[in-house]
Amino acid sequence: MRRLLLPLLAALLALPVVVLTAPAAQACSCAVSSPSRLVERAALVAQGEVVARDDHTSADGMAGSRYDVVVRREWKGPGQPRIAVVSRDHSASCGVRLVVGREYLLLATRSGGAWRVDLCGGTTMLSAGARQGTVTVADVEARLGAGTTPTTRPAADEPGESRAADDRGWWTLAGGVAGLLLAVLLVALVRRGPGRRAG
């Protein structure tokens, strides 16, 4: 019995040292939330394809990724055809690792000049028959309707562009020239008037 007590006592004395000097484990803990609540909380709700990825370091020094996303459909957001999305790389820090070439239902919050997605936000992979996440397109449509498709504005030389602004500019120029001619004519008449009375 005494032989068993000594190793047990040594283990009990060493336990606080092991616990206090062990590195703190990081874990992401998400509060349980319904799909409708996740959709309501998100500042960006969009369906899009990830077309590129770059390394990104967040303001707090955490390593992550910046994704370039082509938006196919949007329910909430800036109405732009391309957006930047950032996330931490590791799920332990609540990061979401997106795959280039895959389509996602993105639920994001605003983060500086980009949109941030995280493990607890409800972002869901849609392409390749996989479903990863808690929110579906049907959940979003039930709450926000059909959504819209962001479109690019045509460039100045593309057909179909409205020329109303150019037409207004031409009329403004013509009105300015006519006004100048009228002013010159009035000045000439005023100068001519006193000469006639003197003669």
Side-chain angles (χ1 to χ4, degrees), residues 19-61:
V19 169
L20 292 175
T21 59
Q26 288 186 335
C28 178
S29 177
C30 300
V32 177
S33 196
S34 67
S36 64
R37 181 77 179 123
L38 291 171
V39 170
E40 182 184 319
R41 276 195 336 227
L44 168 79
V45 180
Q47 181 178 342
E49 181 185 350
V50 177
V51 293
R53 178 205 164 272
D54 291 309
D55 291 332
H56 171 78
T57 303
S58 64
D60 59 2

CSV table of all heavy atoms in Angstrom, one decimal, residues 19-61:
chain,number,residue,atom,x,y,z
A,19,VAL,N,-0.6,21.6,-15.5
A,19,VAL,CA,-1.8,22.3,-15.8
A,19,VAL,C,-1.4,23.8,-16.0
A,19,VAL,O,-1.8,24.5,-17.0
A,19,VAL,CB,-2.9,22.2,-14.8
A,19,VAL,CG1,-4.0,23.2,-15.0
A,19,VAL,CG2,-3.4,20.8,-14.8
A,20,LEU,N,-0.6,24.4,-15.1
A,20,LEU,CA,-0.3,25.8,-15.2
A,20,LEU,C,0.7,26.1,-16.3
A,20,LEU,O,0.7,27.3,-16.8
A,20,LEU,CB,0.2,26.3,-13.9
A,20,LEU,CG,-0.8,26.3,-12.7
A,20,LEU,CD1,-0.1,26.7,-11.4
A,20,LEU,CD2,-1.9,27.2,-13.0
A,21,THR,N,1.5,25.2,-16.7
A,21,THR,CA,2.5,25.5,-17.8
A,21,THR,C,2.1,25.0,-19.1
A,21,THR,O,2.8,25.3,-20.1
A,21,THR,CB,3.9,24.9,-17.4
A,21,THR,OG1,3.7,23.5,-17.3
A,21,THR,CG2,4.4,25.5,-16.1
A,22,ALA,N,1.0,24.3,-19.3
A,22,ALA,CA,0.5,23.8,-20.6
A,22,ALA,C,0.0,25.0,-21.4
A,22,ALA,O,-0.6,25.9,-20.8
A,22,ALA,CB,-0.6,22.8,-20.4
A,23,PRO,N,0.3,25.0,-22.7
A,23,PRO,CA,-0.2,26.1,-23.5
A,23,PRO,C,-1.7,26.1,-23.6
A,23,PRO,O,-2.3,25.1,-23.6
A,23,PRO,CB,0.4,25.8,-24.9
A,23,PRO,CG,0.7,24.4,-24.9
A,23,PRO,CD,1.0,24.0,-23.5
A,24,ALA,N,-2.3,27.3,-23.6
A,24,ALA,CA,-3.7,27.4,-23.6
A,24,ALA,C,-4.3,26.9,-24.9
A,24,ALA,O,-3.8,27.4,-26.0
A,24,ALA,CB,-4.1,28.9,-23.4
A,25,ALA,N,-5.2,26.0,-24.9
A,25,ALA,CA,-5.8,25.5,-26.1
A,25,ALA,C,-6.8,26.5,-26.6
A,25,ALA,O,-7.6,27.0,-25.8
A,25,ALA,CB,-6.4,24.1,-25.8
A,26,GLN,N,-6.8,26.7,-27.9
A,26,GLN,CA,-7.8,27.6,-28.5
A,26,GLN,C,-8.9,26.7,-29.1
A,26,GLN,O,-8.7,25.7,-29.7
A,26,GLN,CB,-7.3,28.5,-29.6
A,26,GLN,CG,-6.3,29.5,-29.1
A,26,GLN,CD,-5.9,30.5,-30.2
A,26,GLN,OE1,-5.9,30.1,-31.3
A,26,GLN,NE2,-5.6,31.7,-29.8
A,27,ALA,N,-10.1,27.2,-28.9
A,27,ALA,CA,-11.3,26.5,-29.5
A,27,ALA,C,-12.3,27.5,-29.8
A,27,ALA,O,-12.5,28.5,-29.1
A,27,ALA,CB,-11.8,25.4,-28.5
A,28,CYS,N,-13.0,27.2,-30.9
A,28,CYS,CA,-14.1,28.1,-31.3
A,28,CYS,C,-15.4,27.5,-30.7
A,28,CYS,O,-15.7,26.4,-30.9
A,28,CYS,CB,-14.2,28.1,-32.9
A,28,CYS,SG,-15.5,29.1,-33.5
A,29,SER,N,-16.1,28.4,-30.1
A,29,SER,CA,-17.4,28.0,-29.5
A,29,SER,C,-18.5,28.9,-30.0
A,29,SER,O,-18.5,30.1,-29.9
A,29,SER,CB,-17.3,28.1,-27.9
A,29,SER,OG,-18.5,27.8,-27.4
A,30,CYS,N,-19.4,28.2,-30.7
A,30,CYS,CA,-20.5,29.0,-31.4
A,30,CYS,C,-21.8,28.8,-30.6
A,30,CYS,O,-22.2,27.7,-30.2
A,30,CYS,CB,-20.8,28.5,-32.8
A,30,CYS,SG,-19.4,28.6,-33.9
A,31,ALA,N,-22.5,29.9,-30.3
A,31,ALA,CA,-23.8,29.8,-29.7
A,31,ALA,C,-24.8,29.2,-30.7
A,31,ALA,O,-24.7,29.5,-31.9
A,31,ALA,CB,-24.2,31.2,-29.2
A,32,VAL,N,-25.7,28.4,-30.2
A,32,VAL,CA,-26.7,27.8,-31.1
A,32,VAL,C,-27.6,28.9,-31.6
A,32,VAL,O,-28.1,29.7,-30.8
A,32,VAL,CB,-27.5,26.7,-30.3
A,32,VAL,CG1,-28.6,26.1,-31.2
A,32,VAL,CG2,-26.5,25.6,-29.8
A,33,SER,N,-27.8,29.0,-32.9
A,33,SER,CA,-28.6,30.0,-33.5
A,33,SER,C,-29.4,29.4,-34.6
A,33,SER,O,-28.9,28.6,-35.4
A,33,SER,CB,-27.8,31.2,-33.9
A,33,SER,OG,-28.5,32.3,-34.1
A,34,SER,N,-30.6,29.8,-34.8
A,34,SER,CA,-31.4,29.3,-35.9
A,34,SER,C,-31.0,30.0,-37.3
A,34,SER,O,-30.4,31.1,-37.3
A,34,SER,CB,-32.9,29.7,-35.7
A,34,SER,OG,-33.1,31.1,-35.8
A,35,PRO,N,-31.2,29.3,-38.4
A,35,PRO,CA,-30.9,29.9,-39.7
A,35,PRO,C,-31.5,31.3,-39.9
A,35,PRO,O,-30.8,32.2,-40.4
A,35,PRO,CB,-31.4,28.9,-40.7
A,35,PRO,CG,-31.4,27.6,-40.0
A,35,PRO,CD,-31.7,27.9,-38.5
A,36,SER,N,-32.7,31.5,-39.5
A,36,SER,CA,-33.3,32.8,-39.7
A,36,SER,C,-32.6,33.9,-38.9
A,36,SER,O,-32.4,35.0,-39.3
A,36,SER,CB,-34.8,32.8,-39.4
A,36,SER,OG,-35.0,32.5,-38.0
A,37,ARG,N,-32.2,33.5,-37.7
A,37,ARG,CA,-31.4,34.5,-36.8
A,37,ARG,C,-30.1,34.8,-37.5
A,37,ARG,O,-29.6,35.9,-37.4
A,37,ARG,CB,-31.2,33.9,-35.4
A,37,ARG,CG,-30.5,34.8,-34.5
A,37,ARG,CD,-31.4,35.9,-34.0
A,37,ARG,NE,-30.6,36.7,-33.0
A,37,ARG,CZ,-30.4,38.0,-33.2
A,37,ARG,NH1,-31.0,38.7,-34.2
A,37,ARG,NH2,-29.8,38.7,-32.3
A,38,LEU,N,-29.4,33.8,-38.0
A,38,LEU,CA,-28.1,34.0,-38.7
A,38,LEU,C,-28.2,34.9,-39.9
A,38,LEU,O,-27.4,35.8,-40.1
A,38,LEU,CB,-27.5,32.7,-39.1
A,38,LEU,CG,-27.0,31.8,-38.0
A,38,LEU,CD1,-26.6,30.4,-38.5
A,38,LEU,CD2,-25.8,32.4,-37.2
A,39,VAL,N,-29.3,34.7,-40.7
A,39,VAL,CA,-29.6,35.6,-41.8
A,39,VAL,C,-29.9,37.0,-41.4
A,39,VAL,O,-29.4,37.9,-42.0
A,39,VAL,CB,-30.8,35.0,-42.7
A,39,VAL,CG1,-31.2,36.0,-43.7
A,39,VAL,CG2,-30.4,33.7,-43.3
A,40,GLU,N,-30.6,37.1,-40.3
A,40,GLU,CA,-31.0,38.5,-39.8
A,40,GLU,C,-29.7,39.2,-39.3
A,40,GLU,O,-29.6,40.4,-39.6
A,40,GLU,CB,-32.0,38.3,-38.7
A,40,GLU,CG,-32.5,39.6,-38.1
A,40,GLU,CD,-33.4,39.4,-36.9
A,40,GLU,OE1,-34.2,38.4,-36.9
A,40,GLU,OE2,-33.2,40.1,-35.9
A,41,ARG,N,-28.8,38.5,-38.7
A,41,ARG,CA,-27.6,39.2,-38.1
A,41,ARG,C,-26.6,39.5,-39.2
A,41,ARG,O,-25.8,40.5,-39.0
A,41,ARG,CB,-27.0,38.3,-37.1
A,41,ARG,CG,-27.6,38.4,-35.7
A,41,ARG,CD,-26.7,37.7,-34.7
A,41,ARG,NE,-25.8,36.7,-35.1
A,41,ARG,CZ,-25.6,35.5,-34.6
A,41,ARG,NH1,-26.4,35.2,-33.5
A,41,ARG,NH2,-24.8,34.7,-35.0
A,42,ALA,N,-26.5,38.8,-40.3
A,42,ALA,CA,-25.5,39.1,-41.3
A,42,ALA,C,-25.7,40.4,-42.0
A,42,ALA,O,-26.8,40.7,-42.3
A,42,ALA,CB,-25.5,37.9,-42.3
A,43,ALA,N,-24.6,41.1,-42.3
A,43,ALA,CA,-24.7,42.4,-43.0
A,43,ALA,C,-24.6,42.1,-44.5
A,43,ALA,O,-25.1,42.8,-45.3
A,43,ALA,CB,-23.6,43.3,-42.6
A,44,LEU,N,-24.0,40.9,-44.9
A,44,LEU,CA,-23.9,40.5,-46.3
A,44,LEU,C,-24.5,39.1,-46.3
A,44,LEU,O,-24.1,38.2,-45.6
A,44,LEU,CB,-22.5,40.4,-46.7
A,44,LEU,CG,-22.2,39.7,-48.1
A,44,LEU,CD1,-22.6,40.6,-49.2
A,44,LEU,CD2,-20.8,39.3,-48.2
A,45,VAL,N,-25.4,38.9,-47.3
A,45,VAL,CA,-26.0,37.6,-47.6
A,45,VAL,C,-25.9,37.4,-49.1
A,45,VAL,O,-26.7,38.1,-49.8
A,45,VAL,CB,-27.4,37.4,-47.0
A,45,VAL,CG1,-27.9,36.0,-47.4
A,45,VAL,CG2,-27.5,37.6,-45.5
A,46,ALA,N,-25.1,36.6,-49.6
A,46,ALA,CA,-24.9,36.5,-51.0
A,46,ALA,C,-24.4,35.1,-51.4
A,46,ALA,O,-23.8,34.3,-50.6
A,46,ALA,CB,-23.8,37.5,-51.5
A,47,GLN,N,-24.7,34.7,-52.7
A,47,GLN,CA,-24.3,33.4,-53.2
A,47,GLN,C,-23.2,33.8,-54.3
A,47,GLN,O,-23.5,34.6,-55.1
A,47,GLN,CB,-25.5,32.8,-53.9
A,47,GLN,CG,-25.2,31.4,-54.5
A,47,GLN,CD,-26.4,30.8,-55.1
A,47,GLN,OE1,-27.5,31.2,-54.8
A,47,GLN,NE2,-26.2,29.8,-56.0
A,48,GLY,N,-22.1,33.2,-54.1
A,48,GLY,CA,-21.0,33.5,-55.1
A,48,GLY,C,-19.9,32.4,-55.2
A,48,GLY,O,-19.9,31.5,-54.3
A,49,GLU,N,-19.1,32.6,-56.2
A,49,GLU,CA,-18.0,31.6,-56.5
A,49,GLU,C,-16.7,32.3,-56.1
A,49,GLU,O,-16.4,33.4,-56.5
A,49,GLU,CB,-18.0,31.3,-57.9
A,49,GLU,CG,-16.9,30.3,-58.3
A,49,GLU,CD,-16.8,30.0,-59.7
A,49,GLU,OE1,-17.7,30.4,-60.5
A,49,GLU,OE2,-15.8,29.3,-60.1
A,50,VAL,N,-15.9,31.5,-55.3
A,50,VAL,CA,-14.5,32.0,-55.0
A,50,VAL,C,-13.6,31.8,-56.2
A,50,VAL,O,-13.5,30.7,-56.7
A,50,VAL,CB,-14.0,31.2,-53.7
A,50,VAL,CG1,-12.6,31.6,-53.4
A,50,VAL,CG2,-14.9,31.4,-52.5
A,51,VAL,N,-13.0,32.9,-56.7
A,51,VAL,CA,-12.2,32.8,-57.9
A,51,VAL,C,-10.7,33.0,-57.6
A,51,VAL,O,-9.9,32.7,-58.4
A,51,VAL,CB,-12.6,33.8,-58.9
A,51,VAL,CG1,-14.0,33.5,-59.5
A,51,VAL,CG2,-12.6,35.2,-58.4
A,52,ALA,N,-10.3,33.5,-56.4
A,52,ALA,CA,-8.9,33.7,-56.0
A,52,ALA,C,-8.8,33.7,-54.5
A,52,ALA,O,-9.7,34.1,-53.8
A,52,ALA,CB,-8.4,34.9,-56.7
A,53,ARG,N,-7.6,33.4,-54.0
A,53,ARG,CA,-7.2,33.5,-52.6
A,53,ARG,C,-5.8,34.0,-52.4
A,53,ARG,O,-4.9,33.7,-53.2
A,53,ARG,CB,-7.3,32.1,-52.0
A,53,ARG,CG,-6.9,32.0,-50.5
A,53,ARG,CD,-6.4,30.6,-50.1
A,53,ARG,NE,-5.7,30.8,-48.8
A,53,ARG,CZ,-4.4,31.1,-48.7
A,53,ARG,NH1,-3.7,31.3,-49.7
A,53,ARG,NH2,-3.9,31.2,-47.5
A,54,ASP,N,-5.7,34.9,-51.4
A,54,ASP,CA,-4.4,35.5,-51.0
A,54,ASP,C,-4.3,35.4,-49.5
A,54,ASP,O,-5.2,35.3,-48.8
A,54,ASP,CB,-4.3,37.0,-51.4
A,54,ASP,CG,-4.2,37.2,-52.9
A,54,ASP,OD1,-3.4,36.5,-53.6
A,54,ASP,OD2,-5.0,38.0,-53.4
A,55,ASP,N,-3.0,35.4,-49.1
A,55,ASP,CA,-2.7,35.4,-47.6
A,55,ASP,C,-3.2,36.8,-47.1
A,55,ASP,O,-3.1,37.8,-47.7
A,55,ASP,CB,-1.3,35.2,-47.3
A,55,ASP,CG,-0.8,33.8,-47.6
A,55,ASP,OD1,-1.7,32.9,-47.6
A,55,ASP,OD2,0.4,33.6,-48.0
A,56,HIS,N,-3.7,36.8,-45.8
A,56,HIS,CA,-4.2,38.0,-45.2
A,56,HIS,C,-3.9,37.9,-43.7
A,56,HIS,O,-4.1,36.9,-43.1
A,56,HIS,CB,-5.7,38.1,-45.5
A,56,HIS,CG,-6.4,39.2,-44.7
A,56,HIS,ND1,-6.3,40.5,-45.1
A,56,HIS,CD2,-7.1,39.2,-43.6
A,56,HIS,CE1,-7.0,41.2,-44.2
A,56,HIS,NE2,-7.5,40.4,-43.3
A,57,THR,N,-3.4,39.0,-43.1
A,57,THR,CA,-3.3,39.1,-41.7
A,57,THR,C,-4.2,40.1,-41.1
A,57,THR,O,-4.3,41.2,-41.6
A,57,THR,CB,-1.8,39.5,-41.3
A,57,THR,OG1,-0.9,38.6,-42.0
A,57,THR,CG2,-1.6,39.5,-39.8
A,58,SER,N,-5.0,39.6,-40.1
A,58,SER,CA,-6.0,40.5,-39.6
A,58,SER,C,-5.4,41.5,-38.7
A,58,SER,O,-4.2,41.5,-38.4
A,58,SER,CB,-7.1,39.6,-38.8
A,58,SER,OG,-6.4,39.0,-37.7
A,59,ALA,N,-6.2,42.5,-38.2
A,59,ALA,CA,-5.7,43.6,-37.4
A,59,ALA,C,-5.1,43.1,-36.1
A,59,ALA,O,-4.2,43.7,-35.5
A,59,ALA,CB,-6.8,44.6,-37.1
A,60,ASP,N,-5.6,41.9,-35.6
A,60,ASP,CA,-5.1,41.4,-34.3
A,60,ASP,C,-3.9,40.4,-34.5
A,60,ASP,O,-3.5,39.8,-33.6
A,60,ASP,CB,-6.2,40.7,-33.5
A,60,ASP,CG,-6.9,39.6,-34.3
A,60,ASP,OD1,-6.4,39.3,-35.4
A,60,ASP,OD2,-7.8,39.0,-33.8
A,61,GLY,N,-3.4,40.4,-35.8
A,61,GLY,CA,-2.2,39.6,-36.1
A,61,GLY,C,-2.4,38.1,-36.4
A,61,GLY,O,-1.5,37.4,-36.6
